[in-house]
Amino acid sequence: ARAQEDYPFTGEWECDGAPFVFTSTVYSIGDDSYNVQEVQEGSDSSYTLFLSDDVYITLSEITSDTLDFSSSESDRTMSCRRY
């Protein structure tokens, strides 16, 4: 397992005006936090963070200061920028 700071998505992001935090162990929006059960790296350099058996988020198009966020709970994709 990699140290969490090695993941390119680790850190604080603003997605559609809301504060998001992604690490290899925790995903949070504002005051709501969720434990990350597993991180899977995709062949396209995206990452899927599994919060439970059927709930996950996907982080894609990751650069040093932007990424795209999508969730299994919503069909919307948000553009995020690093704080």
Side-chain angles (χ1 to χ4, degrees):
R2 291 206 263 180
Q4 70 182 40
E5 57 271 8
D6 287 345
Y7 286 108
F9 58 77
T10 299
E12 298 180 25
W13 302 81
E14 182 207 342
C15 307
D16 284 5
F20 283 65
V21 177
F22 306 116
T23 76
S24 61
T25 56
V26 175
Y27 150 59
S28 64
I29 313 172
D31 293 332
D32 297 324
S33 293
Y34 307 90
N35 288 329
V36 174
Q37 309 295 334
E38 184 184 357
V39 177
Q40 287 184 359
E41 184 173 1
S43 57
D44 58 354
S45 297
S46 67
Y47 289 86
T48 300
L49 281 58
F50 289 89
L51 310 180
S52 66
D53 288 343
D54 48 4
V55 179
Y56 57 87
I57 60 173
T58 301
L59 307 175
S60 56
E61 305 297 331
I62 303 170
T63 70
S64 59
D65 52 18
T66 61
L67 58 75
D68 288 344
F69 167 92
S70 58
S71 165
S72 60
E73 306 283 271
S74 162
D75 52 13
R76 201 160 70 99
T77 298
M78 291 190 283
S79 295
C80 306
R81 61 185 180 82
R82 193 180 288 279
Y83 272 117

